[in-house]
Structure formats: C-alpha cells, structure tokens
Amino acid sequence: MSHEMSNTPRPLGDVENKLDPDVKQVRDDTNTMDDFQGPGQAQEILAPFHADPAFDGKMHFVNNALDEIGWTGYHWKLFTLTGFGYAVDALQLSLQGIIAVQAVYEFEPSYQKGLTIALYVGMLVGALFWGASADIIGRKIAFNISLFICSIFTIAAGAAPNWVVLGLFVALAAFGAGGNLILDTTVFLEYLPSNKQFLVSCLAAWWGIGCTLAGLVAWGFMTNFSCSDPTATPYAKCTKASNMGWRYEMYTMGSIIFAMSVARVTVIRLQETPKFLLGQGKDAEVVANLKSLATKYNRSCSITLEQLEACGVIHTAHAKRVFSFGELWIHVRSLFLSKTVAYTTVLIWLSWSMIGLAYPLFNVFLPYYLSSRGVSFGVTSTYETWRNYALVQVCGIFGPILGGYMSNVRVLGRRYTMVIGALITMAFFFAYSQVDSQAQNVAYSCMISFTLEIYYAVLYGFTAETLPSAHRATGNGIAVAFCRFMGAMSAVIATEANTQTSAPVFICAALYGALALCAFLFPLEPYGMRAS
C-alpha cells in the first residue's frame, strides 16, 4: 500500500461487502456521529487486511463511540498513570548504568557487565510474559501489579550483599518493569479518540522524566557517598560503608516506584479497555464501559448492544481454550494475516532490534564514556560528571513532545517523522565522535538525547497503532523482547569495543541510518486513520 493510499479515508471495501445488508445499514447510520471527522469517517488502519468482518464491523462502532465521547479528564489521568510505566522502564535502564561502576568497585566481580545482562534478561522475559498475558487475560491485572513487583525488588537490590544477589534482584525488578512499554501504549491507545492517537508518541516524554529523576538523585547521592576507583590507589579498598551512594539511589527509586504503583490503583479504577472486551466477545460490557465513561463526563454516546450483535460473532481473536498453546499461537499468527501486515510486523521487529542495540550503547554506557573522557574535557569531579548526566536526561523529555507534534502533521505523518528523527540523530552521533571540549561534550550529548527521542517516541506510537487490538500486546511484547535481547548483546559489544573509545558512537550512528531506512519502508501510515 502506498503512503498516499493509506492516508485517504475510504469505505471498508471487501470486508464491507461481506457484511449482511442489515449490518451495512446500521454502520451507515453511524456515519454522522462524529462531526470533527466530516463527510466520510476515517477508516480503521487494518480494515482492508483483516479476515474477520464481524471484528471490523464492531471495531468501527467502538471507534465511532470513542470519537463521539472525545477527550476527557479520564484521558488526562490515563496519560499520567500510563506515563509512570514509561518513567519506571527508563529508571531501570538508567539505574543499571548509574550504579554499575560503583557496584563493581565494591564487589569486584569477574564479569563486570553482568548487571546489564541481568537487566535485559529480566526485561525480555517481562515483555513476553506481560505482553502475552495482556492479550489472554486482560490489561487490567498487569497494569495494576507490574509496578508493585518492580518497586519491591528495586528496594531489595539496594540491600544486596554481593554481586550475584544484586544481579538477581535487578533482573526481578526488570521483569516487573519489562511489560510497561507494552501495557502503557495499549491501555492509553485503546481509550483514545482517533484525533488524539498521536499522543501515544508524546507519552514517551515520561521516559525522559524517569531518566532525569534517576540522574538528579544520582547527582546528589553518587557525588557524596561513593568511593573512588580502588585500582587507581594502591591497597585501597572500596567498602560498603564508604560506598552507600548507589544503595541510597536504589532505595529512593524503589520507594518512588512504590508510590507510583499505589497511585495506579487509587487515582483511577481502571476498567478493561473496550477493545480488549470486544475481542473477548463481551459486547454488553463494551457498551456499558463506553456509556459509563460518557455519562461521567457528560458526553453523548450512541453505541448500542444491538449494533454490535448485528455484526455477528468474532472468530479470530481467541482459541477455544484460553490457557493453551493454540491461544498463544493465534495471537502470533494474526500478526501475519496478510502480506502488508506481515511486512509491517517484520519491519517493526527489526526496528526494535536495532534500537535495542543503539539506545543502550549511548544511554546505558554514557556514564562510562563521560567519565572516561572527563579528564581530557576538564572534568575533575564526580559532581560535574553526574551534573552533566542529569542535563543530558532533561533534554530527552522534550524530544517526544516534538515528535508527537510532527507525527500529527499531514505532510510528515508517523513514517517521515521517524525518518527525520533517525537521520538527525545519526548526524549528531558522527559529530559527537569528534568533540574535544567539555562544552561540546555536553552540547552534543544533549542534542542526541533530544533527537533520538523524536524517533523512539514515534516508534512506540506507530507500533501500537499498526497492530490489531486483539493481538496488540503480544506483537508489541515480541518487539520489545527483541529490543531487550539486543540490549543484552550491547553488553558484549561494549566489552569488545570498549566504551572508553568512540567505537560505540560510530556503531550507534550506523544503526540510526538503518532505522531511518526501515521507517521509510513501512507500508502503513497511521496518520488520518483509526487504530484497529
């Protein structure tokens, strides 16, 4: 499908023709529900490729209802609470980079990149587990308990007595956090009116907030409660008593994550998303869910149970037995339901794999690189090192905001916003390898943090928007699992390439060039379309 074709609202084509006349009439009667859409409502992104006309017909009604209700205070709450998950995911990645050096000084392990591998293994398993479970048993349970699990083991990691136990707790905390990138985009998107779908990309601003929070706390604790490199001073020993900074960091971050987990179950009583309920065949609950939201915020909602039932029974969302291999297989198989959808799925997974290597090489190992270049740049204190780290993370907050805005401009859309973000990031990476002063170091690091988040944020949104709702969490979970696997591989690459040289910088630059190419090749453009 061409880019121009995907942006043009049109009828449901072959799928529409498979519906009986009564269903077509009911659908036609709803085309006047959304004034902002104007004549001819936007089409669902995957409608031309879906094999289940009942599913497509019902999805059309649900999207009509969400558009009719529009943006409400409930969505503001969701934006914040789902944003917590982004922040926590970022926290876990940042924490590993922040504490690793000091933990190595204290425990003197034989393999110093072990924490990185433990982190990404935990996140990989978490992505697969929470992704699949969200499609099988629902989004609500995972949304409510994943942050709690993460908080408990983050706090426990601060009390780790040795390197192995620290790695175990880091992996378990990462398991709890590992599903949040999947759950947050899924939950938020499946409640959004179609003209606000671009906000899924803006949600990634919370990622920068999480990194910034970790960096600011590290600026205080790591500066004042860390021992120096024991190998630099003969007979020096880094003891627990002289190296409490990284432990204070973990205690503080774990407590903040715990507060976030409590807020998720007290500020809002999340109901299962209407699109998940739709795939479950619970039409009455779908209608009740949407009408309850409309009533609470004094909005109109014209959807009826009769409209949904007239579309027929959905046969493609689940297997006969929920807890079976067949159930899991149907969620994976449906990601390849046509050539276009399969091509999109493969490119999404490839993109996540490459970003999974590029991002940690820059972000997770940034403290190593900044520290190693500190002397030549005139940085003589840990205070300046962690101040610089915090400044870099602050800049990452604003990239997703710009990316979300750009992706909602017709001439750019999601695809070309990703292309631009990736290419600019590639250029800054190449330039960064040549910096020779402290001012340049900070400036280029901040610009890279800003521009790479333009790409990353829109990739988050694009992934959620182009996957079918009944299988969205599974497809997204596999994508993020590829990302985590390559993150683990980044530890091996960083060991061989040496993070104290510019080699990882050149690797990152090349990867972002490849990401730009993948974005250009995506056959679907969600701009002007409605998520299925």
Side-chain angles (χ1 to χ4, degrees):
M1 177 187 292
S2 70
H3 174 55
E4 291 76 18
M5 288 177 63
S6 66
N7 274 327
T8 305
R10 57 189 184 277
L12 297 183
D14 294 339
V15 173
E16 180 78 21
N17 294 332
K18 295 177 183 178
L19 298 177
D20 61 59
D22 292 337
V23 175
K24 291 182 184 180
Q25 183 59 47
V26 172
R27 179 177 293 178
D28 292 339
D29 290 342
T30 65
N31 282 342
T32 59
M33 285 168 49
D34 296 64
D35 293 334
F36 85 90
Q37 290 285 1
Q41 288 189 338
Q43 178 189 337
E44 281 67 40
I45 298 170
L46 298 179
F49 316 106
H50 208 284
D52 192 334
F55 184 93
D56 295 323
K58 293 184 180 187
M59 183 61 66
H60 194 74
F61 284 124
V62 168
N63 278 333
N64 286 349
L66 290 171
D67 287 343
E68 187 179 13
I69 294 170
W71 180 267
T72 68
Y74 183 79
H75 295 95
W76 278 116
K77 293 178 182 178
L78 272 184
F79 182 80
T80 301
L81 295 175
T82 55
F84 286 168
Y86 268 80
V88 169
D89 189 279
L91 277 174
Q92 293 301 313
L93 288 169
S94 296
L95 285 175
Q96 186 279 140
I98 289 169
I99 73 170
V101 174
Q102 294 305 131
V104 165
Y105 289 168
E106 182 176 334
F107 295 129
E108 300 179 350
S110 58
Y111 186 67
Q112 298 183 1
K113 297 297 190 298
L115 283 191
T116 301
I117 294 178
L119 174 84
Y120 281 104
V121 168
M123 285 195 158
L124 187 156
V125 175
L128 293 174
F129 176 82
W130 297 114
S133 66
D135 277 340
I136 295 172
I137 63 175
R139 287 67 159 121
K140 181 179 178 180
I141 295 176
F143 183 82
N144 287 338
I145 68 173
S146 58
L147 289 190
F148 176 76
I149 294 173
C150 179
S151 68
I152 297 302
F153 288 108
T154 300
I155 294 172
N162 56 56
W163 183 253
V164 174
V165 173
L166 176 60
L168 174 63
F169 286 151
V170 165
L172 292 172
F175 168 78
N180 277 282
L181 294 184
I182 301 117
L183 295 168
D184 297 334
T185 54
T186 298
V187 170
F188 191 48
L189 177 64
E190 293 185 357
Y191 269 107
L192 279 178
S194 59
N195 65 340
K196 300 293 190 213
Q197 286 177 187
F198 73 95
L199 290 176
V200 178
S201 295
C202 295
L203 194 66
W206 285 93
W207 177 279
I209 293 173
C211 289
T212 299
L213 185 60
L216 290 174
V217 174
W219 188 4
F221 286 139
M222 303 298 287
T223 299
N224 299 306
F225 302 99
S226 297
C227 60
S228 57
D229 184 355
T231 62
T233 305
Y235 311 111
K237 176 67 176 177
C238 183
T239 64
K240 178 179 178 180
S242 64
N243 197 41
M244 289 296 293
W246 70 268
R247 296 179 186 273
Y248 293 152
E249 176 87 2
M250 298 300 281
Y251 294 148
T252 304
M253 293 297 100
S255 299
I256 291 174
I257 296 169
F258 179 76
M260 291 178 176
S261 71
V262 172
R264 278 195 166 184
V265 296
T266 56
V267 173
I268 191 173
R269 298 298 178 88
L270 181 72
Q271 302 297 315
E272 286 293 358
T273 69
K275 293 185 178 181
F276 173 77
L277 294 172
L278 193 68
Q280 292 279 310
K282 299 178 180 179
D283 294 348
E285 292 185 38
V286 172
V287 174
N289 183 316
L290 292 169
K291 287 191 175 294
S292 174
L293 182 62
T295 300
K296 182 176 181 180
Y297 292 96
N298 196 27
R299 305 293 177 86
S300 60
C301 181
S302 305
I303 193 171
T304 66
L305 179 59
E306 289 74 20
Q307 288 174 334
L308 297 182
E309 289 180 340
C311 294
V313 178
I314 295 175
H315 296 289
T316 59
H318 295 279
K320 293 181 179 180
R321 291 185 359 183
V322 174
F323 299 102
S324 65
F325 176 78
E327 171 72 9
L328 181 61
W329 175 241
I330 200 170
H331 291 301
V332 176
R333 184 188 63 194
S334 298
L335 301 171
F336 301 87
L337 54 88
S338 75
K339 289 183 179 179
T340 300
V341 175
Y343 183 45
T344 301
T345 298
V346 170
L347 284 178
I348 286 174
W349 290 353
L350 179 61
S351 297
W352 277 95
S353 298
M354 289 190 291
I355 196 72
L357 180 59
Y359 189 87
L361 278 177
F362 172 71
N363 196 60
V364 174
F365 296 106
L366 183 61
Y368 290 95
Y369 190 70
L370 292 178
S371 179
S372 68
R373 301 297 292 272
V375 175
S376 61
F377 290 159
V379 179
T380 58
S381 69
T382 55
Y383 176 88
E384 289 181 87
T385 295
W386 292 109
R387 179 204 64 188
N388 295 345
Y389 183 77
L391 288 174
V392 171
Q393 302 313 318
V394 168
C395 294
I397 297 173
F398 304 100
I401 297 173
L402 178 60
Y405 174 79
M406 291 171 61
S407 71
N408 202 41
V409 175
R410 180 181 295 273
V411 295
L412 296 176
R414 278 50 159 174
R415 292 169 61 233
Y416 290 115
T417 298
M418 286 190 285
V419 170
I420 292 170
L423 290 178
I424 295 176
T425 303
M426 179 182 69
F428 276 115
F429 266 120
F430 280 125
Y432 185 72
S433 65
Q434 304 302 313
V435 299
D436 57 7
S437 70
Q438 170 64 355
Q440 290 180 2
N441 172 45
V442 176
Y444 278 102
S445 296
C446 287
M447 288 305 300
I448 290 172
S449 180
F450 175 80
T451 58
L452 70 82
E453 291 296 345
I454 294 176
Y455 171 85
Y456 215 160
V458 180
L459 179 64
Y460 285 129
F462 181 91
T463 300
E465 285 182 288
T466 54
L467 293 173
S469 65
H471 321 290
R472 179 172 287 130
T474 301
N476 205 344
I478 294 173
V480 174
F482 276 120
C483 177
R484 304 316 189 191
F485 174 77
M486 295 306 295
M489 292 299 99
S490 72
V492 178
I493 294 174
T495 300
E496 297 300 323
N498 185 359
T499 56
Q500 298 183 2
T501 73
S502 59
V505 178
F506 282 104
I507 294 174
C508 290
L511 287 171
Y512 273 97
L515 287 168
L517 178 61
C518 281
F520 179 78
L521 294 175
F522 278 125
L524 298 175
E525 171 52 63
Y527 175 85
M529 310 287 280
R530 306 199 295 190
S532 296

